[in-house]
Amino acid sequence: MSKAHESDAKTKEYLERYMEGVQKRNPGEPEFVQAVYEVASSIFPYIADKPMYHEMQILERMAEPERVISFRVPWTDDKGNIRTNRGWRVQFNSAIGPYKGGIRFHPSVNQSILKFLGFEQTFKNSLTGLPMGGGKGGANFNPKGKSDNEVMRFCQSFVTELYRHIGADTDVPAGDIGVGGREIGFMFGQYKRITNEFVGVLTGKGMEFGGSKMRTEATGYGAVFFLRNMLAQHKDAIDGKKVLISGSGNVATHAAEKCLQLGATPITLSDSGGFVHCADGFTQEQVDWIKELKGARRGRISEAADEFNNVTFHEGRPWGIEADCAIPSATQNEVNAEEAAVMIKNGVMAVAEAANMPCEQGAVDSFMEAGTLFGPAKAVNAGGVGVSGLEMSQNSARISWDEDHLRKLLEDMMRDIHDSCVQYGGDGDKVNYLQGSNIAGFVKVADAMLSYGHV
Ligand code: NDP
């Protein structure tokens, strides 16, 4: 066996042993184990010749959250019934700054999903270049079909426990699925009321009380900037590309908007009921209508097909439609290996993950094997938390930057993240963005942990 083969075999064996341990310590948490595997399989080869990371057990410590808080959230519905949900905050890693990551309200929320999201967030936040650690939180509460008053009472109860664990220099949550401006307003109001402090403890706030311009747009816009950078790196352009987008929430609609601004054509959007297809490409007016439908009106995406003649509704997911690029922007594990194979066959040449872990491992493997340009979530959607970090900076300095300045900062940040991926994932003519983003995110956090000793 050659030396290179011997060392590859050893690395594989270390990785397998490490994953056995992760699996054993986290039973019943498949999403979390999946996320750790995805990162560890990039990092093990990188640290094979860097013994200090092994000696200091960096990867073992990184896969263990610093703290998981789980709590009861009792609230009263409009009929006077007492209801009980479970809330969590996973404070994953604070090596490079206060914990930072969204709060998700969705019936599917559980500890495994929040641990996977908190773990991923640690690397993503590191990639932004800003001083933010990783965390994530949420509740198995379904805001759908609830009145504003019910949502307010739920948010107040949630914060009545959460407030003691967060703070502007400790842990700064943001929104995520099911948590938008309305929920952040209710939570910030309750935090302020309990602590009697007006500080930047949450991001995604309204403009009247410390929010940042460009935060709403940042994740979707940032994802499309990243896609444009990937294409440019490979001597191609986004202009004229047909793009499949899933989801129809904050990320999806802003991704569609930025595609339009950069000359690309978004042809699908979706929700949990199915997808809508517009072969001509959605116009800005249609995207605005869908924003309103899925935002204030809380409607179903199928209604877009009733409203517009050139839009059709279909059950299932949009991945069977022919296009050049795809931006999955709904939720985790929404693209499987079979769907990836169809996309590759149909000529999709670039995939940018705007949602968190939307592609199953089998789908990721298929894209990598086929040579599809693949932008992983932690790099592609980092613009959201990046502008959240800028909201924290503005709150601390008690200033407010204008939109043009923030747009420029977002665009520069996405370019820097892209270039870091190239630095660590450069592979001849084709950049391995998965490897590049994992290693670039890892190095900063790992080196901070090395400096602290055994903590
Ligand atoms: P929203 O709540 O605004 O929208 C979520 C969208 O996904 C809705 O269209 C929803 O449809 C759809 N969806 C949810 N669950 C499913 C499912 N099981 N199957 C199909 N569709 C589904 O969330 P965001 O747009 O904010 O977030 C989308 C993704 O982006 C998430 O993975 C989130 O973690 C990630 N993200 C978001 C950031 C942000 O700044 N908002 C930052 C970084 C990542 P329906 O209305 O039917 O539920």
Side-chain angles (χ1 to χ4, degrees), residues 1-14 45 48:
M1 204 191 263
S2 75
K3 270 228 158 93
H5 270 105
E6 220 173 277
S7 121
D8 282 356
K10 229 180 189 171
T11 302
K12 200 163 164 256
E13 191 193 316
Y14 282 148

Side-chain angles (χ1 to χ4, degrees), residues 104 116-117 120-121 124 136 176 328 330-333 353-359 377-378 381:
R104 178 177 290 192
F116 122 59
L117 290 164
E120 285 280 301
Q121 193 81 46
K124 182 188 306 183
K136 198 83 189 186
D176 189 62
T331 190
Q332 68 273 0
N333 293 331
E353 291 190 313
N356 283 315
M357 207 163 74
C359 298
K378 66 172 71 65
N381 70 25

Side-chain angles (χ1 to χ4, degrees), residues 194-206:
I194 295 174
T195 61
N196 198 25
E197 279 185 350
F198 194 114
V199 291
V201 68
L202 286 157
T203 57
K205 299 185 293 297

Side-chain angles (χ1 to χ4, degrees), residues 77-319:
D77 68 20
D78 286 344
K79 296 196 181 103
N81 302 312
I82 298 169
R83 312 274 289 263
T84 307
N85 285 91
R86 186 174 295 172
W88 287 268
R89 186 73 185 161
V90 177
Q91 297 183 328
F92 219 105
N93 192 308
S94 61
I96 61 167
Y99 309 105
K100 177 98 199 87
I103 290 180
R104 178 177 290 192
F105 290 163
H106 194 271
S108 66
V109 164
N110 59 37
Q111 186 165 300
S112 170
I113 289 181
L114 295 180
K115 278 171 66 178
F116 122 59
L117 290 164
F119 179 77
E120 285 280 301
Q121 193 81 46
T122 304
F123 299 92
K124 182 188 306 183
N125 293 1
S126 163
L127 276 174
T128 65
L130 298 171
M132 299 183 287
K136 198 83 189 186
N140 59 353
F141 168 74
N142 189 359
K144 264 187 222 153
K146 305 287 190 302
S147 70
D148 285 351
N149 271 328
E150 287 176 323
V151 171
M152 179 187 75
R153 288 195 291 273
F154 180 83
C155 289
Q156 290 179 341
S157 180
F158 186 79
V159 167
T160 299
E161 173 56 35
L162 186 69
Y163 90 94
R164 68 191 87 240
H165 307 291
I166 60 176
D169 294 317
T170 313
D171 183 354
V172 184
D176 189 62
I177 292 179
V179 177
R182 174 183 63 166
E183 291 76 15
I184 293 287
F186 291 147
M187 289 195 270
F188 185 75
Q190 183 73 350
Y191 181 89
K192 192 171 74 58
R193 178 191 190 192
I194 295 174
T195 61
N196 198 25
E197 279 185 350
F198 194 114
V199 291
V201 68
L202 286 157
T203 57
K205 299 185 293 297
M207 286 306 138
E208 311 76 20
F209 51 97
S212 174
K213 297 194 181 77
M214 285 305 291
R215 173 59 191 94
T216 311
E217 299 87 348
T219 308
Y221 280 18
V224 180
F225 286 141
F226 195 91
L227 175 63
R228 180 184 61 178
N229 295 339
M230 285 205 296
L231 291 166
Q233 176 74 22
H234 295 85
K235 304 191 176 33
D236 204 337
I238 193 166
D239 188 27
K241 295 281 186 290
K242 281 190 184 170
V243 186
L244 302 175
I245 300 178
S246 63
S248 47
N250 172 283
V251 177
T253 53
H254 288 101
E257 187 165 299
K258 186 48 78 182
C259 279
L260 284 170
Q261 290 168 9
L262 297 182
T265 310
I267 57 171
T268 63
L269 287 165
S270 73
D271 68 10
S272 50
F275 72 95
V276 283
H277 178 211
C278 180
D280 307 328
F282 293 103
T283 60
Q284 182 63 49
E285 290 67 34
Q286 289 173 323
V287 172
D288 287 342
W289 188 89
I290 289 169
K291 268 190 203 169
E292 163 82 14
L293 170 78
K294 295 297 296 182
R297 283 170 49 202
R298 297 178 199 279
R300 308 306 302 155
I301 197 71
S302 55
E303 294 171 49
D306 303 330
E307 178 72 15
F308 304 109
N309 286 334
N310 63 348
V311 174
T312 51
F313 174 73
H314 310 264
E315 282 180 1
R317 305 195 279 220
W319 312 126

Side-chain angles (χ1 to χ4, degrees), residues 329-380:
S329 310
T331 190
Q332 68 273 0
N333 293 331
E334 53 160 328
V335 184
N336 62 31
E338 291 78 55
E339 289 164 319
V342 173
M343 287 158 85
I344 293 162
K345 190 169 136 273
N346 283 348
V348 170
M349 35 90 75
V351 176
E353 291 190 313
N356 283 315
M357 207 163 74
C359 298
E360 290 181 7
Q361 189 63 47
V364 177
D365 294 343
S366 306
F367 291 134
M368 302 300 281
E369 264 165 43
T372 311
L373 284 179
F374 178 74
K378 66 172 71 65
V380 172

Side-chain angles (χ1 to χ4, degrees), residues 20-42:
E20 266 170 35
V22 171
Q23 187 100 42
K24 216 191 266 166
R25 286 192 299 277
N26 301 280
E29 299 191 345
E31 293 86 358
F32 176 59
V33 173
Q34 180 186 344
V36 175
Y37 176 77
E38 191 257 300
V39 170
S41 47
S42 300

